[in-house]
Amino acid sequence: MDRRILVAFSLLAACACGESSAHSARKDSTVAPPISGNASGEVAPTAGSAAPNLQGRIPVLEYHVIGGDKNAEYTRTVASYRADLEEAYKQGYRPINISQMLDKNFSDVPAGMAPVVFVFDDASDSQFRYIEQNGKLVIDPTSAVGIWLDFAKTHPGWKNRAVFCMLNGGAAGHNFFGDSPKWNGQKKEWRFQKVKWLADNGFELCDHTLWHAMLNKYSDAVVQEQIARNAMGIDSAVPGYKIRTMALPYGIWPKNKQLAWQGSWTDPKTKQTHNYKFEAVLEVAGGPARSPYDPAFNPKSINRIQAVGDDIRRQLDKLAQSNTRFVAK
Ligand SMILES: [Zn+2]
């Protein structure tokens, strides 16, 4: 096994340490004050009935592995993930992509309702798996995408809008949702097919580096190689796809900050130069994100809420009770 992959694997396995402290230190620091004229202390607005609040906060939720027997920092059980979807729906949220946030495009959110962004990091097969059923290839109903599609069937207005921040060279299946079960006795992973399916079906593709590199540890050249080569992988799966969003592994910035969103890498073999330029950079924590209508909105630093314990529920309740959430008009 390539040494880098081994390194990546150990980084992924150790993923908990860095993010945990960042999370606890920052999660409540950026909740917006109540918007004037709207701070009546009402409880959760019911779907469609709230006054517009275009400068309110938008929860951007962050998931890793979906599955397992119990919740952990990087694992959300199927039951908890389903409950999160249900809770968001019940509170009048409708999903959008980060690219829609950038474009101030809230057309998927009916008036009086609120946008939410679901983000899936690290491209594990728990998020997107195919299985064989009666000789056919179908999306595993227990994978994050399968659960999403199922949920949408019974919840009108729940569209295919979520962001997948992918690695294409991580270990242990963290490579465009690899490690699917065998097909006709052969190990087939349909990696590019999955990435393309997501793009073709309304979801957004996001760069999360080649193998989850801790970007502050590397030279400018390696930082750009990590980001550019992952973008090249996405382009191989979906030729011409314009990546607009990147997520920082562990929420850690490179020493030269702007390389997170703009840079280039020249392939030493082909001498070809590959450029990248993104509009949005996702942090790993920080609480509900600012609206693109908020004058302080910084698309190069969009905060997220990690799917840990009951944090999502708590943050959604808090946004509702304080009337600080974004409400579409
Ligand atoms: Zn990650």
Side-chain angles (χ1 to χ4, degrees), residues 38-273:
N38 198 12
S40 57
E42 291 166 12
V43 286
T46 50
S49 66
N53 180 8
L54 301 186
Q55 292 199 17
R57 297 285 172 147
I58 299 173
V60 178
L61 313 180
E62 175 187 342
Y63 290 85
H64 295 90
V65 171
I66 302 296
D69 300 332
K70 59 178 187 303
N71 288 325
E73 187 156 19
Y74 294 96
T75 305
R76 194 82 173 149
T77 64
V78 163
S80 292
Y81 167 56
R82 278 208 186 99
D84 294 343
L85 294 171
E86 201 66 65
E87 182 63 29
Y89 192 84
K90 198 179 80 186
Q91 293 206 22
Y93 284 96
R94 294 295 178 269
I96 64 167
N97 289 335
I98 291 289
S99 59
Q100 291 175 289
M101 220 170 130
L102 294 169
D103 295 338
K104 298 188 174 121
N105 171 7
F106 294 94
S107 59
D108 288 335
V109 187
M113 300 180 84
V116 61
V117 185
F118 282 77
V119 185
F120 298 90
D121 281 14
D122 301 351
S124 64
D125 76 317
S126 75
Q127 295 172 357
F128 195 168
R129 199 184 298 116
Y130 282 119
I131 53 168
E132 185 182 347
Q133 226 171 50
N134 306 322
K136 274 191 176 160
L137 195 62
V138 295
I139 294 174
D140 185 345
T142 68
S143 66
V145 172
I147 293 163
W148 184 282
L149 298 175
D150 230 36
F151 183 83
K153 279 185 208 153
T154 50
H155 295 76
W158 196 261
K159 296 187 178 174
N160 287 349
R161 304 281 185 262
V163 183
F164 287 82
C165 296
M166 304 176 296
L167 315 168
N168 71 16
H174 292 266
N175 47 43
F176 285 171
F177 322 102
D179 278 6
S180 279
K182 288 183 178 176
W183 172 257
N184 288 340
Q186 285 188 316
K187 195 172 172 71
K188 291 269 286 177
E189 298 179 331
W190 303 279
R191 297 165 71 235
F192 281 12
Q193 187 177 324
K194 290 178 189 173
V195 176
K196 181 150 183 359
W197 186 94
L198 290 171
D200 288 348
N201 285 276
F203 297 102
E204 180 177 351
L205 310 180
C206 152
D207 193 317
H208 197 36
T209 76
L210 191 55
W211 39 254
H212 215 267
M214 207 176 265
L215 295 178
N216 64 342
K217 294 224 161 111
Y218 296 97
S219 66
D220 287 358
V222 172
V223 167
Q224 292 173 90
E225 179 182 355
Q226 274 286 326
I227 299 171
R229 282 179 63 193
N230 193 48
M232 287 164 66
I234 293 172
D235 193 68
S236 298
V238 192
Y241 185 87
K242 186 172 165 38
I243 305 165
R244 301 179 68 186
T245 305
M246 86 86 68
L248 296 165
Y250 312 97
I252 293 174
W253 288 89
K255 283 171 270 192
N256 185 354
K257 249 184 137 174
Q258 74 154 18
L259 294 180
W261 65 80
Q262 185 170 6
S264 65
W265 174 71
T266 301
D267 186 330
K269 284 189 199 130
T270 64
K271 308 289 178 216
Q272 271 189 331
T273 296

